[in-house]
Structure formats: structure tokens, C-alpha cells
């Protein structure tokens, strides 16, 4: 497996809901890979912002430059779980809002093991 990528943009949510972006071009990416440098979970030229506690492990927040893969122009949260590296990224709004949204989504993410 080289990676998994689920990207959503232009979706509608109730007004005031965390994740409701009034501007266009905002998006969410949920990704997984076997290595931290895999295309799905990294961005070229990523800039480390801070360490973060994610689901009982140490993760890291990054800012991704525009055009740097599936996370380009967004804030990326990356961490390890047994056998996989996971990442979430969002674009839009302020850096503190993106950080809170990423940490909230990661805490509520439900992992489903592959079949077989």
C-alpha cells in the first residue's frame, strides 16, 4: 500500500458548525501511508509548526505551501498509529482555528482495519 487519500471540498454544513468555511477553496484531506515521507501523508516544503498530542501519541503540525500535493496550502497534522502513518489537513480561516479543527477531528477519527 503506497497510501490512502480522501479529499472533500465544497461541502455544506450548518452555520456555526466547526469546519464551516464561508470562503471558497477550503478543503479537508484525510490520508494514510506506511512511511512519514509517503506522498499521501506529507507535503513538499512542509514547515514544522508545533508538536501535538494526538490519540495518546506525539504528532506534529505542519504548514504546507500551495501546490505541494494533496495538502498544499493547508495545515497538516501527522502522527503514527500501529502499522500506519495518518494525516489530516484543512485549509481556510485562521491558523488557530485550523489547529483546533485538526486536533478535534483526529481525536474523533475512528480507524477501521483492512479486511482479511
Amino acid at each position: 500500500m503506497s497510501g490512502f487519500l480522501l479529499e472533500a471540498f465544497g461541502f455544506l454544513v450548518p452555520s456555526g458548525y466547526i469546519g464551516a468555511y464561508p470562503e471558497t477553496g477550503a478543503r479537508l484531506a484525510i490520508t494514510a501511508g506506511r512511511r512519514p515521507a509517503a506522498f499521501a501523508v506529507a507535503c513538499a516544503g512542509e514547515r514544522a509548526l508545533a508538536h501535538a498530542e494526538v490519540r495518546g501519541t506525539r504528532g506534529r503540525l505542519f504548514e504546507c505551501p500551495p501546490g505541494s500535493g494533496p495538502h498544499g496550502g493547508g495545515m497538516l497534522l501527522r502522527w503514527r498509529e500501529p502499522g500506519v502513518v495518518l494525516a489530516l489537513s484543512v485549509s481556510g480561516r485562521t491558523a488557530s482555528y485550523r489547529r483546533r479543527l485538526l486536533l478535534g477531528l483526529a481525536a474523533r477519527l475512528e480507524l477501521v482495519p483492512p479486511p482479511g
Side-chain angles (χ1 to χ4, degrees):
M1 173 179 128
S2 60
F4 167 83
L5 168 66
L6 172 68
E7 185 175 26
F9 53 92
F11 49 90
L12 299 174
V13 295
S15 178
Y17 185 82
I18 291 183
Y21 299 112
E23 66 274 5
T24 59
R27 57 138 188 75
L28 163 69
I30 302 169
T31 63
R34 297 241 185 241
R35 298 177 334 272
F39 175 76
V41 295
C43 57
E46 63 191 23
R47 183 174 59 91
L49 298 174
H51 290 282
E53 177 80 14
V54 184
R55 302 165 56 92
T57 66
R58 187 174 178 168
R60 194 126 193 217
L61 286 160
F62 300 90
E63 195 68 40
C64 296
S68 61
H71 308 288
M75 183 179 286
L76 169 75
L77 173 63
R78 185 171 56 230
W79 73 98
R80 286 184 177 274
E81 299 243 351
V84 68
V85 178
L86 296 159
L88 300 173
S89 68
V90 294
S91 65
R93 297 231 178 159
T94 65
S96 64
Y97 182 86
R98 288 179 288 175
R99 179 187 175 125
R100 284 191 349 255
L101 179 58
L102 286 170
L103 292 172
L105 288 170
R108 290 160 184 84
L109 189 65
E110 186 173 335
L111 301 179
V112 178

